Amino acid sequence: MRILFVASECYPLVKTGGLADVVGALPLALGRLGVEAKVLLPGYRGVADKLSEVTVAADYPDVFGGPARLLEGRTADGLDVLLLDAPHLFDRAGSPYLTPEGRDWPDNPVRFGALSAIGAAVGRFGVGDWRPDVVHAHDWQAGLVPAYMEASDEPHPPTVFTIHNIAFQGLCGAHDFQRLGLPQWVFTPAGLEFYGQCSFLKAGLVFSQRLTTVSPTYARELRTAEFGMGLQGVLDDRAAVLSGILNGIDTAVWDPAADPLLPAGFSARKMAGKLRCKSALQAKSGLAQDPDALLFTVVSRLTGQKGLDLLLPHVEMISERGGQIALLGAGEPGLEKAFRDLAAQHPGQVSVTIGYDEPLAHLLQAGAEAILIPSRFEPCGLTQLYGLRYGTLPIVARTGGLADTVIDANDAAVRAGVATGLQFAPVTAAGLGFALERAFDLFADRKLWRRIQQRAMGHPVGWEDSAAQYVELYRSVTGQGTGRDGDG
Ligand code: ADP
């Protein structure tokens, strides 16, 4: 079975969040199940240089205002990548979505319209003699893939669309829509029209054969006004084809026993290395060298979604009780400043690093005792999965994928030996405060804390189960097998 992924980011080539981790890891996990996957990405500046065996698979004289090529290559991990090399759209400084000044690129509709149009073309005609059986598009940047497919008279393979975060919808006005080369009939309420605008995300929702999101709880939440961000009605209509499949993590990249970014390795059986990581983290972050401190970490975008404003009123209490906080994140300037100020007020107890730092994220996951994730909504969340794997107990809001992956250490779960972290609801400052108190109480019983850590480290967080669920889904839309067991 052959699957074409279309997405706007992919670890390790280009990453701004969890989408990249999924797009980088899931195709490899599918490969282990006999599925051939290729990933189509925008050819952002410098990305082609990170690939090997690069060849030109197609030339396009004009893709929305300039010539473009389709490049084919591989990552060091063996991921097959197609790049839409369109310098007029993608060869620029800044992030995939934002100018160096932090504003959306004004031509984002055209940039990701082009990605989707080429995704649809590769879906229909393939590259060389490789033709996909299913096109799997991710998030709004690839939302127009099924629209371009439906707009053409050519036969096309079925499409699966995955919502990684419904907060980002890719809205543009009628003027931009005119530049996308789509027929006017798609710009209707039954199509991609959304309150007078063109919604790339809605196109993915209405024109795809199957919809998934990244956790079962989020799949239910999306159909409610509280979480659906205006698209709950559309999703409710399509409930019969909507399912939730949990994200996994790349357990080779995130392996506490063999992580080259750590000063010492550790495992559920041999935890001594975790203490060395804690000490290295305290040294690096300017925290007091205290092996007994309850050290909380945060690795997060600093936005309203992530709920970190709820932590601000508790920093004093954490510090007074001898706890420590090591935060890594970037985002809203007001939140960045609030945390920086708190770090200045609590030297040795609170450390704040503003920025994006992959190696530091590994050390924080390894060296901390607990990771705080008070998200107001969280489609799946990956940092709690890294926390579980590194024995860093997740303290999470009871929402989305957080609710599906962490088992709260209530009395019954502790007695049964199944607890892996703490959940709290309602998602308010008071709710988080209560969870923090519970964490201090649990930590006071160090033997119990270690037992929960070991349980957390044994929790399955890899891609195996979820990749198998995607294979089932692909089979259900194509009616074929993987080709491995002789039925495809
Ligand atoms: P989202 O995609 O909503 O940001 P996820 O939890 O799904 O949240 O994924 C976030 C990913 O980005 C994780 O891999 C996390 O480690 C990483 N990350 C977030 N902020 C930072 C940062 N400041 N530095 C390094 N990695 C970060």
Side-chain angles (χ1 to χ4, degrees):
M1 183 181 280
R2 294 167 165 183
I3 312 294
L4 174 68
F5 275 53
V6 185
S8 58
E9 43 185 284
C10 174
Y11 180 85
L13 301 172
V14 51
K15 168 170 168 173
T16 73
L19 170 65
D21 291 324
V22 175
V23 174
L26 175 56
L28 294 173
L30 290 170
R32 294 190 283 274
L33 298 175
V35 171
E36 271 180 50
K38 291 186 193 289
V39 181
L40 172 65
L41 298 168
Y44 304 112
R45 179 173 291 177
V47 171
D49 302 339
K50 297 182 190 166
L51 297 176
S52 60
E53 304 165 41
V54 179
T55 55
V56 179
D59 269 300
Y60 308 104
D62 181 14
V63 175
F64 296 153
R69 300 183 303 171
L70 190 65
L71 304 180
E72 194 163 10
R74 293 197 131 200
T75 66
D77 295 333
L79 188 69
D80 288 321
V81 174
L82 299 168
L83 280 188
L84 175 57
D85 177 36
H88 61 297
L89 301 175
F90 300 120
D91 182 16
R92 31 180 104 163
S95 89
Y97 319 117
L98 306 175
T99 66
E101 295 73 41
R103 281 190 286 277
D104 284 342
W105 289 109
D107 58 348
N108 273 347
V110 169
R111 297 171 77 224
F112 296 107
L115 175 71
S116 297
I118 297 301
V122 175
R124 284 202 301 271
F125 308 116
V127 271
D129 56 8
W130 189 91
R131 275 192 175 55
D133 300 297
V134 177
V135 179
H136 189 164
H138 297 264
D139 265 355
W140 74 264
Q141 296 87 351
L144 292 187
V145 172
Y148 282 109
M149 298 259 214
E150 291 293 318
S152 125
D153 294 333
E154 304 280 342
H156 65 77
T159 48
V160 174
F161 182 74
T162 295
I163 306 160
H164 295 262
N165 192 336
I166 205 159
F168 303 104
Q169 303 190 349
L171 296 175
C172 69
H175 174 74
D176 280 320
F177 173 80
Q178 301 306 335
R179 301 174 62 193
L180 297 173
L182 283 164
Q184 198 61 35
W185 67 260
V186 303
F187 199 167
T188 56
L192 52 66
E193 190 266 353
F194 185 68
Y195 295 98
Q197 291 194 290
C198 158
S199 163
F200 280 41
L201 189 85
K202 189 178 168 213
L205 302 184
V206 298
F207 293 123
S208 303
Q209 277 67 51
R210 289 282 195 288
L211 305 177
T212 72
T213 188
V214 289
S215 68
T217 294
Y218 196 56
R220 284 191 298 275
E221 289 172 342
L222 280 175
R223 294 166 57 194
T224 66
E226 188 182 354
F227 294 96
M229 308 240 172
L231 288 164
Q232 59 273 15
V234 176
L235 285 159
D236 205 39
D237 282 350
R238 304 225 63 204
V241 297
L242 168 66
S243 59
I245 300 178
L246 274 176
N247 286 337
I249 60 171
D250 187 329
T251 49
V253 174
W254 293 91
D255 179 1
D259 187 333
L261 297 168
L262 302 183
F266 59 96
S267 65
R269 288 222 188 104
K270 284 192 170 169
M271 290 290 280
K274 187 163 172 76
L275 207 56
R276 283 188 49 203
C277 292
K278 183 174 184 177
S279 167
L281 170 58
Q282 287 169 328
K284 189 175 169 71
S285 308
L287 296 170
Q289 280 291 334
D290 179 358
D292 287 322
L294 175 45
L295 170 45
F296 298 97
T297 188
V298 172
V299 180
S300 184
R301 292 184 290 120
L302 300 179
T303 64
Q305 173 193 341
K306 299 294 179 180
L308 287 159
D309 49 304
L310 306 178
L311 176 60
L312 296 172
H314 302 299
V315 171
E316 188 77 45
M317 178 279 285
I318 289 172
S319 173
E320 268 169 18
R321 292 192 62 165
Q324 297 180 339
I325 300 174
L327 176 146
L328 168 64
E332 289 166 13
L335 262 180
E336 290 183 355
K337 178 173 184 320
F339 278 111
R340 271 210 192 100
D341 290 350
L342 283 165
Q345 287 159 28
H346 301 278
Q349 303 284 144
V350 178
S351 138
V352 168
T353 309
I354 300 297
Y356 193 92
D357 186 337
E358 195 81 27
L360 180 57
H362 282 245
L363 183 61
L364 289 166
Q365 289 281 6
E369 302 285 356
I371 179 158
L372 299 173
I373 313 170
S375 305
R376 294 192 165 86
F377 66 96
E378 193 60 77
C380 178
L382 295 175
T383 54
Q384 83 278 15
L385 302 180
Y386 304 143
L388 290 169
R389 181 125 168 101
Y390 283 62
T392 299
L393 298 190
I395 299 178
V396 303
R398 186 173 301 144
T399 188
L402 300 173
D404 292 342
T405 52
V406 176
I407 301 174
D408 180 66
N410 55 46
D411 288 347
V414 168
R415 270 200 306 278
V418 296
T420 58
L422 292 172
Q423 289 193 5
F424 67 92
V427 186
T428 57
L432 174 59
F434 187 53
L436 292 169
E437 298 283 352
R438 289 176 65 209
F440 275 106
D441 291 348
L442 273 183
F443 193 64
D445 183 346
R446 212 53 58 86
K447 276 198 182 132
L448 174 59
W449 186 269
R450 294 281 170 249
R451 276 209 305 281
I452 300 176
Q453 278 182 313
Q454 283 164 340
R455 181 77 193 188
M457 293 176 81
H459 187 91
V461 290
W463 269 105
E464 293 76 12
D465 286 356
S466 299
Q469 289 180 53
Y470 279 108
V471 171
E472 276 309 305
L473 181 81
Y474 301 146
R475 273 182 208 236
S476 75
V477 280
T478 59
Q480 59 167 288
T482 59
R484 188 196 198 187
D485 44 10
D487 60 354

